[in-house]
Amino acid sequence: MAHTQSTAAAAAPAAESPCLEVRNLSIDLPAGADRPHAVHAVSFDVVPGQVVCLLGESGSGKSVIAQAVMGLLPASLVPSGGRIEVMGESVLTADAARLRAWRGARMAMVFQEPMTALNPVMRCGMQVDEMLAEHTELGAAERRQKVLAIFARVKLPEPERIYDAYPHQLSGGQRQRIVIAIALILRPALLICDEPTTALDVTTQAEILSLIREMQQENGTAVLFITHDFGVVADIADHVVVLQLGRQIESGPKDDVLRRPKEPYTRMLLDAVPRLEPARRPTIADAAPLLDARGVTKTYRSGSWPGKRRTVHAATDVSLKLHAGETVGIVGESGSGKSTVARCIARLIEPTGGEVWVPHIEAQRAPRARLSAFRRMVQVVFQDPNRSLNPRRTVGQSIIEGPVNFGLSPEKAWQRAEELMELVRLKPDVLHRYPSEFSGGQRQRLCIARALACEPQVLIADEAVSALDVSVQDQILKLLAEIQQRLSIGILFITHDLRVASQICDRLIVMHMGRIVEQGTAHDVLLAPREAYTRSLLAAAPGQGYAFGQG
């Protein structure tokens, strides 16, 4: 998505006083942490009509700064120096009642994961109405009209239906629009966006970024935007602040930082950004596939009354083959059916039609034994490692669980887990620790190790790197490539990030509305797409044409 900054926004820093002013902010970590400060001596301003992006790896302090500005710091994190002012008033010295009055009316926040930001048992319209009921004296009818108006403004389809819907009945992009509507309903002076597009496909991401920029310019809102996606920064930022381990490394206008970085750390981050430059990989020999999915179909039906029955064709007649040493990617928008196909192939859900054939599982086995053998051979790495690992068990206990269930002794399973730690570049003694003691990238490595513990021949990675920052993402992609080379496994890679797909996939399948619309080598699909839908996906990818680190 190309972005042309308005003259007014470009002139704003020199013409207006800051809406948000952060000066020498330091926030201490609890005793015994790996460093003394979560944030140390950070300073920046955000003026009306400007977007300032905070960049940095996981653990750099980006979200801690956002929480501090909103007055939402947990008790374990203590501001030890500096100041935060919103519209000239101190946040750090304001009491709880004052902060509560500011939230929504003066400053608002859009969180990364809308499903955790929204109340699952409360209708979406009432969650937005709650802001108006708390901060205005409008009647119920007036509040409803304002909610419907903001739903239309954020481009939600059928506002009346959305008003009465629960969060689980909406797509990821629609849920994020609800969160944005909650944040913007009172027209706050400051909007904080904490990774609001990380889990969204490229077209929905482009729409959300356009919506934020459009409403920000219309209302003159100051925006503090937190992201690890350099394409998003290239599209939306005016000013960039780079953080490393809580310290401010570099800051300046977007083009200066992204095209002419001064610091080695910034250059390292830029070098880790995947390019949309797929290599021509050697064609896999025409041998028997590890996995052959034929005509996979999944249909959902809901409702009991004849007039209210609804049929959703989540996947229709999807066929694919996966060979040893090959990575096949499935890309498409949210709701295109790519994750449904992956779950049908993994037998996490039963397909309505079609079959998944694995040649190494004997046909004469009893159905239950055949399913057990299949699940040992086909393992899944999910998007969110936090929900994949049991927080009450050590990572070692989680990793050996699968092999033990498949008949391996606990001693041999533990020995295999120690060997896998070397493979995923962690020390064997980490097996005695709990998931909360690891970073996001380390947890994803542990999830990969857990999947490999069963010695599968097929690994399904469902958005396995989408929530990781660029440097960790680069490490995980290289790790998967190395594991594949050593073990000759086949990888089915589900992603909405076309740059990531170009780095790891041999072949690509493009899905739309449950059907395959295009497939071929990654090189051909990404550089010479035949279908208009594929071209629209490529056009929507953030940071198109932006040469990171090249002035």
Side-chain angles (χ1 to χ4, degrees):
M1 177 183 68
H3 162 58
T4 303
Q5 184 177 310
S6 69
T7 304
E16 300 189 55
S17 58
C19 176
L20 170 65
E21 188 176 352
V22 177
R23 284 288 174 275
N24 295 315
L25 178 65
S26 292
I27 299 172
D28 292 348
L29 285 168
D34 59 352
R35 64 179 196 260
H37 306 287
V39 176
H40 183 66
V42 171
S43 298
F44 61 88
D45 295 336
V46 188
V47 303
Q50 184 187 48
V51 178
V52 173
C53 278
L54 298 186
L55 266 177
E57 295 174 285
S58 176
S60 63
K62 307 184 300 292
S63 293
V64 172
I65 292 172
Q67 291 171 339
V69 173
M70 289 293 293
L72 295 174
L73 278 178
S76 59
L77 298 180
V78 181
S80 57
R83 57 188 173 88
I84 302 172
E85 292 185 359
V86 175
M87 299 177 69
E89 294 193 57
S90 173
V91 171
L92 297 181
T93 59
D95 59 27
R98 188 69 174 147
L99 289 172
R100 183 179 177 85
W102 287 353
R103 294 186 195 119
R106 178 175 291 194
M107 56 188 183
M109 190 163 178
V110 178
F111 295 92
Q112 175 177 350
E113 178 46 68
M115 276 303 279
T116 56
L118 295 172
N119 188 331
V121 296
M122 190 174 180
R123 297 183 190 274
C124 293
M126 295 308 297
Q127 299 196 49
V128 186
D129 179 89
E130 199 173 35
M131 294 291 290
L132 295 172
E134 178 70 25
H135 294 280
T136 73
E137 297 182 0
L138 297 174
E142 291 177 285
R143 296 200 305 269
R144 182 181 176 89
Q145 289 306 311
K146 279 191 170 291
V147 172
L148 292 174
I150 194 70
F151 280 179
R153 190 71 189 84
V154 299
K155 300 176 182 176
L156 281 165
E158 304 176 80
E160 292 277 0
R161 178 182 66 83
I162 298 290
Y163 189 99
D164 292 322
Y166 290 98
H168 73 272
Q169 296 175 305
L170 306 180
S171 70
Q174 289 172 338
R175 286 193 292 264
Q176 195 61 288
R177 283 178 166 85
I178 297 293
V179 175
I180 292 171
I182 293 172
L184 294 177
I185 188 72
L186 295 174
R187 297 197 172 195
L190 174 66
L191 179 65
I192 301 173
C193 300
D194 189 1
E195 300 275 12
T197 62
T198 293
L200 304 179
D201 60 73
V202 289
T203 52
T204 304
Q205 185 180 71
E207 292 169 1
I208 293 296
L209 292 177
S210 177
L211 172 65
I212 291 172
R213 188 51 129 159
E214 180 184 335
M215 300 194 77
Q216 172 253 337
Q217 291 182 339
E218 179 181 298
N219 300 325
T221 309
V223 177
L224 180 63
F225 201 99
I226 296 168
T227 184
H228 65 253
D229 190 325
F230 279 78
V232 169
V233 177
D235 280 351
I236 201 170
D238 297 311
H239 195 88
V240 177
V241 178
V242 183
L243 302 171
Q244 181 188 23
L245 297 176
R247 295 179 178 270
Q248 187 169 332
I249 299 298
E250 186 168 355
S251 66
K254 172 183 67 180
D255 285 345
D256 287 353
V257 174
L258 297 189
R259 294 187 189 276
R260 296 173 290 277
K262 298 175 183 175
E263 299 299 323
Y265 176 74
T266 311
R267 288 195 292 272
M268 181 275 291
L269 290 179
L270 290 166
D271 289 341
V273 177
R275 270 58 171 177
L276 196 63
E277 299 171 356
R280 286 193 180 275
R281 296 177 173 86
T283 304
I284 301 296
D286 191 18
L290 294 176
L291 182 145
D292 187 358
R294 304 169 181 174
V296 173
T297 298
K298 183 63 179 178
T299 302
Y300 293 99
R301 293 181 175 89
S302 62
S304 55
W305 292 97
K308 293 187 176 181
R309 285 180 184 165
R310 187 170 176 235
T311 300
V312 177
H313 301 285
T316 304
D317 195 26
V318 175
S319 298
L320 62 89
K321 292 182 180 181
L322 181 66
H323 296 82
E326 180 183 40
T327 300
V328 174
I330 305 181
V331 299
E333 295 174 283
S334 175
S336 64
K338 54 187 188 296
S339 289
T340 298
V341 168
R343 288 171 180 272
C344 286
I345 289 174
R347 300 295 296 276
L348 297 178
I349 57 175
E350 286 300 314
T352 308
E355 62 178 352
V356 179
W357 184 72
V358 176
H360 298 286
I361 297 176
E362 296 86 348
Q364 66 269 22
R365 279 185 170 180
R368 187 170 180 177
R370 191 161 60 245
L371 180 60
S372 177
F374 178 88
R375 285 185 168 155
R376 180 171 187 171
M377 181 177 175
V378 180
Q379 287 287 306
V380 185
V381 180
F382 295 98
Q383 176 176 350
D384 188 354
N386 292 319
R387 290 191 285 183
S388 298
L389 296 169
N390 189 331
R392 297 187 177 185
R393 306 185 73 182
T394 66
V395 295
Q397 290 172 326
S398 292
I399 289 171
I400 70 170
E401 181 180 19
V404 170
N405 287 341
F406 286 122
L408 200 65
S409 69
E411 294 76 17
K412 289 186 177 179
W414 191 270
Q415 182 181 353
R416 181 181 296 172
E418 290 180 336
E419 294 169 355
L420 286 169
M421 289 304 98
E422 300 291 344
L423 184 62
V424 298
R425 298 172 194 162
L426 292 171
K427 294 181 179 179
D429 59 9
V430 306
L431 294 170
H432 300 282
R433 293 160 59 184
Y434 289 88
S436 61
E437 300 177 61
F438 299 91
S439 69
Q442 289 172 326
R443 282 194 290 264
Q444 197 61 292
R445 290 170 186 268
L446 292 167
C447 288
I448 292 171
R450 187 180 64 170
L452 294 175
C454 294
E455 298 185 320
Q457 295 189 38
V458 173
L459 192 65
I460 299 177
D462 190 0
E463 298 282 10
V465 299
S466 65
L468 305 176
D469 57 66
V470 289
S471 57
V472 178
Q473 193 178 75
D474 183 55
Q475 294 167 13
I476 296 296
L477 291 177
K478 289 177 179 176
L479 174 64
L480 286 172
E482 178 186 328
I483 289 170
Q484 184 178 52
Q485 187 175 17
R486 289 179 60 174
L487 304 180
S488 294
I489 61 174
I491 298 177
L492 185 62
F493 197 86
I494 316 298
T495 183
H496 65 256
D497 192 325
L498 300 177
R499 286 193 177 90
V500 168
S502 75
Q503 299 302 302
I504 193 171
C505 296
D506 301 297
R507 292 191 293 117
L508 274 183
I509 293 171
V510 182
M511 291 191 64
H512 180 51
M513 298 183 70
R515 294 181 179 274
I516 294 176
V517 296
E518 183 166 357
Q519 58 182 313
T521 66
H523 186 276
D524 291 344
V525 170
L526 294 177
L527 297 186
R530 300 188 306 271
E531 300 297 324
Y533 176 72
T534 310
R535 291 194 291 271
S536 72
L537 286 181
L538 290 164
Q544 282 293 309
Y546 204 93
F548 298 104
Q550 299 176 27

